[in-house]
Amino acid sequence: MPTASSGTLVAVLANPPLTDGKRTLRRVTLAAELLGFDNVAVANLFSVPSHRTGAITELGAAEDGWLAARGSLETCLGAGDGVLLAYGATSPSGEARVQFRQQVAWLHHRIAAEDLPIWHVGDGPRHPSRWQRWTYRAHPDVPFTEALRDSLVLVQVDRVWPATRFERASRGGETPLGRANSKAQRVEKVDVQAQVD
């Protein structure tokens, strides 16, 4: 798979953190470098900050926080050259799940309208805080940077998991949303020196 030669990678995360989010930003920046992007823009599916994404179940029952996030998503997608889906592999429950599914469907429609390439890590839109767990299982005994490079998957917009297939994981396991493009190739090796904690 060819990597981008420049431009901005839009990382779509779940919601803003209550911390500085530096670890997440470092990982997103590393993914952008591995894909050949010069810049990173971060947008969130949901606009209300929380310590953990699990809080979206309570905070996201009404549509306000979801609709408020769309302006930033629109701006970033309009200026982006590629998208990294990294909002997490589990959905909220209850009424927030309905809002989440609508937001993901809207996002996929907007990405398709912009005709942007899409990547995710492994078999789903895992959050950067979970990347090392995935890469350790998928590529044991491989340094994180190399394992992440090998785990970035290009997907087609019509193959990006539809929101209706997104299910909550049980007992900490992760349930994929659908299938990645079966013809997708892994990112070519590039020489990137990065410190990731």
Side-chain angles (χ1 to χ4, degrees):
M1 163 179 62
T3 59
S5 59
S6 64
T8 299
L9 179 68
V10 178
V12 180
L13 302 176
N15 67 321
L18 291 175
T19 63
D20 60 16
K22 287 182 181 178
R23 182 177 182 185
T24 294
L25 293 175
R26 280 195 303 269
R27 288 188 175 181
V28 167
T29 299
L30 174 59
E33 291 172 4
L34 291 169
L35 291 169
F37 288 93
D38 294 329
N39 302 299
V40 173
V42 173
N44 293 288
L45 279 180
F46 183 62
S47 66
V48 180
S50 67
H51 183 65
R52 297 191 183 281
T53 58
I56 295 174
T57 291
E58 290 181 32
L59 299 171
E63 68 180 4
D64 298 352
W66 302 99
L67 295 178
R70 290 186 180 183
S72 175
L73 286 163
E74 286 272 10
T75 299
C76 289
L77 292 174
D81 300 291
V83 177
L84 176 64
L85 298 179
Y87 47 79
T90 57
S91 68
S93 59
E95 196 57 36
R97 180 179 291 181
V98 174
Q99 301 296 336
F100 169 83
R101 288 177 174 173
Q102 291 174 353
Q103 188 80 332
V104 170
W106 174 87
L107 174 66
H108 292 176
H109 174 75
R110 293 303 308 134
I111 292 170
E114 295 290 339
D115 195 27
L116 297 172
I118 306 166
W119 289 268
H120 58 66
V121 173
D123 61 358
R126 0 187 136 271
H127 189 273
S129 65
R130 301 293 184 249
W131 289 356
Q132 198 155 5
R133 183 181 298 172
W134 167 266
T135 59
Y136 180 78
R137 285 191 314 250
H139 306 284
D141 301 320
V142 175
F144 176 70
T145 299
E146 186 178 337
L148 179 60
R149 181 202 62 233
D150 293 342
S151 297
L152 288 163
V153 177
L154 178 67
V155 293
Q156 295 174 351
V157 74
D158 63 338
R159 296 291 182 115
V160 174
W161 301 303
T164 56
R165 298 232 11 236
F166 197 91
E167 297 297 331
R168 184 174 174 88
S170 62
R171 296 189 173 201
E174 296 177 40
T175 303
L177 300 169
R179 289 184 209 100
N181 178 0
S182 61
K183 296 180 182 176
Q185 299 173 7
R186 303 292 182 222
V187 177
E188 296 173 7
K189 289 188 176 184
V190 293
D191 185 28
V192 174
Q193 295 292 325
Q195 294 294 330
V196 179
D197 60 348

